[in-house]
Amino acid sequence: MQVPADVEYERATSVAHALVLLTRYAPGARILAGGHSLIPMMKLRLAQPEVLIDINAVAALRYIELHSIDRAAAELRIGALATHADLLASAAAGGHFPILHDAERVIADPVVRNWGTIGGSLCQADPSEDLSAAFAALKGSMIVHGPDGSREVSARAFHTGPYETVVGPAEMLTEIRLPIRPDSGSAYLKVCRRAGDWPIGAAGAAVWLAGGVIEDVGIGLTAVGAAHFAAAEAEEFLRGRAPSEEAFSQAGEIAAEHCRPAADQRGPVQYKRHLVHELTVRTLRTAVRRARGLDPSPGPAS
């Protein structure tokens, strides 16, 4: 029988209260949100926190909303306690960033999506996590709160390694921010052994067009050993180029060349590089079509 080690339990009622508890018990404390990753790890004794700080009562962290920065700029803000189901149901998220609905439709199953949180998924920092690649493609940022205030961290700097993030022992992720820019499109695809499983390989792409060329682009990769979940070299190749099948194919080749997949029960290295190439091409193609209004974006979950 898998049984966690003994652990103390505290229930936070606000962000400030959670930070007090984290400061009191650090470094032996872990935050409990949905718990779908942490609890299994505790059962296997891969994680043995001394104290669990339950933040599910902090309702102020569960939101998805559009925020105007000034007359010309806006962003989507996602509270760390928003669930996968919340994100899938959000018309604002899917309308501006269809990659998010693409990804959420293939994450786990309805039970996990109803309980699992966006912040928890990101902080777990699993090398095969879907949303990490999606947020890397969108070039979002994370708001981290600690005893000395808050700081903003690029999505691409948030993860420092497998199961490791920049969040300190007395800090917590509170919000994800995604800048809204015109003439944009995005998409996400993954290949897995069965529906809802961890990916064998997955790719997400976001493009921003201007004057008939790709002004900016983000390519996110997961489960294939891509540094910071991104294909930076392929992005650099695409900037300033006109969208074309030839450009997409070359970008896919570059992405496949620079990732570092490992052979395992899900497949050999060459197969995974092949997936990186194909999925990069397909997501770029769909992202550009969506940016041009030629491909329907997925709607909210019914």
Side-chain angles (χ1 to χ4, degrees):
M1 180 181 295
Q2 297 176 357
V3 179
D6 290 341
V7 62
E8 297 296 321
Y9 174 87
E10 294 275 5
R11 188 171 177 83
T13 56
S14 67
V15 171
H17 186 203
L19 292 175
V20 168
L21 294 172
L22 284 169
T23 301
R24 180 185 305 166
Y25 294 112
R30 288 288 296 272
I31 288 178
L32 175 66
H36 285 284
S37 298
L38 178 58
I39 299 302
M41 291 183 71
M42 290 174 62
K43 287 182 176 181
L44 293 170
R45 305 294 177 99
L46 296 175
Q48 297 189 49
E50 298 171 6
V51 181
L52 285 180
I53 300 174
D54 187 341
I55 63 170
N56 281 284
V58 187
L61 289 180
R62 185 173 180 177
Y63 58 88
I64 300 172
E65 59 188 27
L66 296 173
H67 182 82
S68 295
I69 300 173
D70 54 39
R71 292 182 178 180
E75 61 188 10
L76 184 73
R77 295 187 176 183
I78 304 168
L81 272 184
T83 66
H84 295 288
D86 292 336
L87 193 56
L88 183 54
S90 170
H96 290 287
F97 307 106
I99 186 176
L100 299 178
H101 280 186
D102 287 345
E104 287 293 1
R105 290 181 187 280
V106 294
I107 289 176
D109 53 46
V111 173
V112 171
R113 292 197 293 266
N114 283 333
W115 282 95
T117 65
I118 308 304
S121 293
L122 294 173
C123 288
Q124 177 67 10
D126 192 295
S128 298
E129 214 281 313
D130 292 282
L131 287 185
S132 296
F135 287 131
L138 293 172
K139 301 185 177 182
S141 61
M142 317 299 185
I143 305 301
V144 178
H145 271 79
D148 299 323
S150 65
R151 57 193 176 103
E152 187 168 353
V153 181
S154 164
R156 299 187 176 199
F158 185 75
H159 299 99
T160 57
Y163 305 102
E164 295 180 346
T165 73
V166 299
V167 180
E171 294 183 318
M172 61 186 294
L173 172 66
T174 57
E175 185 176 78
I176 302 96
R177 296 179 179 178
L178 301 172
I180 296 172
R181 298 160 61 183
D183 300 313
S184 65
S186 59
Y188 187 84
L189 287 171
K190 83 174 181 180
V191 172
C192 50
R193 293 183 297 178
R194 55 185 179 271
D197 197 5
W198 292 112
I200 299 172
V207 297
W208 295 271
L209 304 179
V213 302
I214 299 172
E215 181 181 45
D216 197 8
V217 57
I219 300 173
L221 301 174
T222 192
V224 292
H228 305 292
F229 293 94
E233 296 84 3
E235 295 169 353
E236 183 62 29
F237 168 79
L238 285 171
R239 287 190 192 94
R241 294 180 183 270
S244 68
E245 287 297 311
E246 180 181 359
F248 298 159
S249 183
Q250 291 186 52
E253 291 177 5
I254 294 170
E257 178 184 353
H258 284 87
C259 65
R260 296 292 180 267
D264 56 20
Q265 71 274 20
R266 291 183 171 88
V269 168
Q270 285 306 113
Y271 172 59
K272 293 184 179 182
R273 290 192 190 278
H274 170 73
L275 285 182
V276 170
H277 175 271
E278 289 301 317
L279 295 177
T280 298
V281 169
R282 295 181 190 185
T283 53
L284 284 167
R285 182 189 300 135
T286 301
V288 168
R289 287 183 60 83
R290 286 174 173 172
R292 290 171 169 169
L294 301 175
D295 198 303
S297 298
S302 57

